Amino acid sequence: IISPKIMKVKTYAGRLCLLISVLLCAMVSRASTYIVAVGINNYKYVTSLTVSEDDARAFARMCKSYPDLHVALVTGSNATRANLIEVIGNHFAKAKADDSLIFFFSGHGVGGGIVAYDTEDEGEGEILSYKVLARLMKRSPATRKVVIIDSCHSGSSRNTTSSSRKVRHNVGDPNTILFMSSRTNEYSLEVQGMSQSLFTYHLLRGMRGNADADGDRNITARELFRYVSGAVRRDSRNKQHPVMWGNFDAGFVIMKY
């Protein structure tokens, strides 16, 4: 015959084991997001911008305010092509299969990629091409990948449909999204008196909750695009039209707040 005291100890032990198992499962299943945020104002060879570094800092600051978001911030002269490749590769390598990646860039862009601090011309070995960026992101086992580009395009670097096809081809993997601040034949606007560009300003507002149309505290890609695109088109008087490309389902969540 088992005494009541022994029965009680066994019951408590069983409950404790169950609680530990639940906590361990929660710790194991909790997904993280790894973010690289880049902003460049003063280039080595290219004309300067005003708020790109503020864009990147504001994006990084917003992300750091949430748990399980791990941010690497690169600005100014640190954003050389070689250093960006190293930071992106190393930071995104930390992600696991259930995690997400976000690459955010604010600065000059060209049809085939982004302009690093030390980019001198538009050659493949000078810019950080979308092809190289896609290759770096593919190395990560993370299943959800988002690229956000807030680029000012100079007149000579504007490309049209051919560059659009290249970008879409390079980010064509499942659950991969490219969110760009403007069409390839448009400027990405900096507004006098604002500490962020027009696109990044509305992007941050959207990711903080304004884009959550159904109030479930999950910002899906479609919700974010509808909110940011509508706000940017309105405030730019239809001079700037954000675009989103990718192979993703309707429930793809970019941010939980």
Side-chain angles (χ1 to χ4, degrees):
I1 298 173
I2 301 174
S3 72
K5 287 185 178 180
I6 295 175
M7 287 287 291
K8 187 177 289 186
V9 168
K10 286 187 175 181
T11 301
Y12 285 152
R15 288 176 180 174
L16 181 60
C17 287
L18 179 61
L19 178 60
I20 292 172
S21 298
V22 170
L23 289 173
L24 287 174
C25 287
M27 289 172 66
V28 170
S29 63
R30 173 176 273 183
S32 297
T33 300
Y34 290 84
I35 297 136
V36 175
V38 181
I40 310 170
N41 284 350
N42 301 309
Y43 282 83
K44 190 173 182 178
Y45 302 108
V46 185
T47 55
S48 297
L49 298 170
T50 306
V51 299
S52 292
E53 292 180 19
D54 288 335
D55 285 346
R57 290 191 186 99
F59 189 85
R61 188 164 54 248
M62 183 268 296
C63 291
K64 287 178 180 178
S65 67
Y66 296 104
D68 303 311
L69 272 67
H70 310 283
V71 183
L73 174 65
V74 187
T75 59
S77 60
N78 291 320
T80 62
R81 183 180 185 274
N83 194 44
L84 288 178
I85 289 173
E86 182 178 355
V87 171
I88 293 166
N90 291 342
H91 194 60
F92 287 164
K94 301 172 186 175
K96 299 178 177 63
D98 291 335
D99 295 336
S100 301
L101 309 178
I102 298 177
F103 176 77
F104 173 89
F105 174 80
S106 181
H108 281 301
V110 295
I114 62 175
V115 179
Y117 166 77
D118 57 345
T119 295
E120 194 167 0
D121 58 52
E122 295 181 22
E124 181 77 15
E126 290 284 333
I127 65 171
L128 179 61
S129 69
Y130 293 121
K131 182 178 180 180
V132 170
L133 181 58
R135 190 185 306 140
L136 290 168
M137 297 183 82
K138 283 178 183 178
R139 290 175 184 170
S140 170
T143 51
R144 292 170 299 278
K145 301 170 184 179
V146 181
V147 178
I148 303 172
I149 306 292
D150 189 350
S151 291
C152 291
H153 296 269
S154 66
S156 62
S157 66
R158 287 181 186 168
N159 232 326
T160 53
T161 55
S162 62
S163 65
S164 299
R165 290 193 208 100
K166 287 179 184 176
V167 174
R168 276 179 279 204
H169 173 74
N170 287 325
V171 295
D173 289 348
N175 287 322
T176 300
I177 293 172
L178 178 69
F179 193 10
M180 297 192 75
S181 61
S182 62
R183 294 172 180 167
T184 52
N185 61 343
E186 295 175 339
Y187 286 103
S188 188
L189 300 177
E190 293 183 348
V191 180
Q192 188 174 7
M194 289 181 64
S195 57
Q196 282 93 46
S197 69
L198 187 62
F199 173 80
T200 296
Y201 173 79
H202 288 299
L203 175 73
L204 295 176
R205 285 175 59 84
M207 292 180 75
R208 287 190 183 107
N210 285 19
D212 187 12
D214 58 9
D216 66 351
R217 301 193 69 80
N218 292 320
I219 308 295
T220 66
R222 290 187 178 181
E223 286 177 324
L224 187 62
F225 174 73
R226 287 170 184 159
Y227 174 81
V228 176
S229 177
V232 170
R233 284 188 286 112
R234 180 195 66 223
D235 290 353
S236 69
R237 298 182 181 179
N238 281 318
K239 293 178 181 177
Q240 182 177 341
H241 300 77
V243 291
M244 182 178 282
W245 299 319
N247 181 7
F248 59 96
D249 60 44
F252 188 110
V253 175
I254 290 182
M255 173 67 76
K256 296 182 180 182
Y257 69 101

